Amino acid sequence: MTYVRNAWYVASWSQDLEPGTPSAITILNEPIVIWRSESGALNALEDRCVHRLAPLSLGRCEGERLRCMYHGLLFDPDGKVVEIPGQDMIPERACVRRYAVSERHSWIWVWMGDAEKADPDLIPQAYGFDNPDYLLAKGQLDYAAEACLVNNNLLDFSHLAYVHEKSFKAPQNFAYERPKITTLPRGVRVDQWVRNRPGPGWARNGGLFDGLSSYEFLIPGVLVMWMGSFPLGTAEACGSEQPDYAEAVSGVTVTSQAVTPMTERTARYFFSAGPHRAHGDDAARDSMMQTIHQAFAEDKVMIEAQQRVIDTTPDPRIMPTTADKGVTIFNQLVQKLAGAAPARSHAA
Ligand code: FES
Ligand SMILES: [Fe+2]
């Protein structure tokens, strides 16, 4: 698997990380333990004790430190062993890897490159639960498939017309009209107008609109999308420019999604979504989330089946179509940035 190491990967929802309770996740084949110390500090270490390789995520938080609960070695948040019960001498090598970790937009992010190079400015700007304008709900899903296949799916919405026929009831336009793709320094932006269509089922206003979905898909695999319905004629009037978002009259919704590669063939998918307070209420949000869960289950069936076919194909080759433009640009960017920061041998 080729992934960019110098990037922030979503490891958990903020809400799911209880103070004093270590949590385990594998990212790029590396087991990681994350915890909030007594003072509230966030820490991330290699989840593998130097003594006999027991997971530190089964350990106990003690003040700012974490104790392995197999034979009691005590670790500082920087990864160094500071106590070996019954032994005074602590070997130089008694140390596990420390990861840079950050909390923003309701996610806990782990930097998979050198901790010293961690750049908080590279954390994608998602919509968190602290955003007062939106009524969000969250979910997550584990994939028995490589994260790259999930990324590819999120970069090409032509599948909406087929995979999500039942859930999103997306119009055929998604398959027949190509969105505008803009290359960004660390990803792509995808803008797609669908003219003359009803607003989403949960929205308060009936009638026909020009609907826009506009999202950024950013390294390492984070989607941040805004959707809204505008008066008829807006798409035409805007040409290829962005509309004035304040002129949306119905169905304004956001969603943030992150795909985290765990192992060669597993990925964790974190997502939140919800309407703008002026465009929906809790009931609208719940109904939207129900549809999203149905839709993401549809993606999972298709992508895991695709993975099984790939794995049993001796020389798997693909044949891109024009709908793959965003996929191709993004995957080339991954190759370039991964090359600039070579993958460690065990997570190539
Ligand atoms: S394995 Fe951690 S103390 Fe023995
Ligand atoms: Fe999908």
Side-chain angles (χ1 to χ4, degrees):
M1 66 182 168
T2 303
Y3 293 102
V4 181
R5 294 206 69 90
N6 283 336
W8 295 94
Y9 288 79
V10 172
S12 167
W13 288 102
S14 286
Q15 300 96 311
D16 294 348
L17 193 63
E18 299 284 340
T21 308
S23 169
I25 183 161
T26 297
I27 305 178
L28 300 182
N29 284 329
E30 296 180 19
I32 297 171
V33 55
I34 311 162
W35 81 97
R36 289 187 205 277
S37 70
E38 262 170 28
S39 71
L42 202 54
N43 302 301
L45 292 180
E46 178 183 347
D47 190 12
R48 184 162 37 206
C49 180
V50 288
H51 177 222
R52 290 192 170 271
L53 316 184
L56 297 177
S57 51
L58 294 180
R60 181 170 70 200
C61 296
E62 296 184 5
E64 300 306 298
R65 293 167 166 164
L66 184 61
R67 189 180 293 280
C68 177
M69 287 303 277
Y70 199 173
H71 314 95
L73 266 63
L74 184 63
F75 291 79
D76 247 357
D78 66 2
K80 285 201 179 66
V81 173
V82 291
E83 186 194 341
I84 300 177
Q87 174 177 320
D88 292 336
M89 203 277 290
I90 298 176
E92 192 74 14
R93 67 171 191 278
C95 184
V96 295
R97 180 175 175 189
R98 175 183 80 89
Y99 294 85
V101 58
S102 186
E103 184 166 22
R104 211 179 275 183
H105 319 310
S106 305
W107 275 327
I108 310 287
W109 305 79
V110 171
W111 175 266
M112 293 303 291
D114 289 339
E116 293 67 36
K117 289 194 189 139
D119 179 356
D121 289 345
L122 293 181
I123 296 177
Q125 179 73 47
Y127 294 93
F129 282 77
D130 51 347
N131 187 313
D133 295 335
Y134 293 94
L135 294 162
L136 300 175
K138 69 178 177 68
Q140 71 185 57
L141 204 56
D142 279 357
Y143 265 92
E146 187 180 355
C148 173
L149 296 183
V150 188
N151 290 348
N152 294 350
N153 167 277
L154 294 171
L155 282 154
D156 172 11
F157 277 10
S158 66
H159 79 273
L160 262 68
Y162 305 100
V163 176
H164 304 309
E165 206 176 23
K166 293 200 181 72
S167 56
F168 290 142
K169 299 183 179 63
Q172 291 289 305
N173 308 50
F174 276 96
Y176 285 90
E177 288 174 23
R178 297 290 176 253
K180 183 184 173 205
I181 309 276
T182 311
T183 304
L184 307 172
R186 282 178 75 87
V188 294
R189 195 177 76 230
V190 181
D191 297 297
Q192 186 144 25
W193 282 101
V194 182
R195 294 167 173 78
N196 235 355
R197 68 167 300 196
W202 52 265
R204 285 171 179 159
N205 299 339
L208 294 174
F209 304 93
D210 282 353
L212 173 68
S213 58
S214 175
Y215 66 94
E216 292 188 350
F217 196 83
L218 303 167
I219 297 283
V222 177
L223 176 147
V224 183
M225 177 154 73
W226 183 97
M227 287 164 287
S229 302
F230 292 81
L232 291 178
T234 309
E236 199 61 41
C238 287
S240 56
E241 299 302 311
Q242 292 267 321
D244 181 348
Y245 280 34
E247 284 174 13
V249 289
S250 177
V252 173
T253 307
V254 293
T255 176
S256 306
Q257 304 172 17
V259 183
T260 297
M262 295 196 293
T263 66
E264 304 288 338
R265 290 290 179 267
T266 60
R268 185 158 294 167
Y269 184 31
F270 300 89
F271 50 90
S272 69
H276 192 284
R277 284 177 188 277
H279 293 264
D281 51 19
D282 287 351
R285 179 209 39 216
D286 294 346
S287 126
M288 186 188 305
M289 271 318 264
Q290 214 177 346
T291 308
I292 284 176
H293 278 284
Q294 185 189 349
F296 290 179
E298 291 164 343
D299 283 316
K300 186 171 146 77
V301 167
M302 184 62 80
I303 293 169
E304 291 182 347
Q306 177 194 17
Q307 179 77 72
R308 288 193 292 274
V309 174
I310 291 171
D311 287 345
T312 51
T313 303
D315 181 19
R317 283 165 198 244
I318 55 159
M319 185 212 69
T321 68
T322 56
D324 285 295
K325 187 175 171 189
V327 177
T328 305
I329 294 171
F330 186 82
N331 289 341
Q332 284 171 350
L333 187 63
V334 169
Q335 293 294 335
K336 190 176 132 208
L337 294 177
R344 285 148 60 100
S345 55
H346 61 280

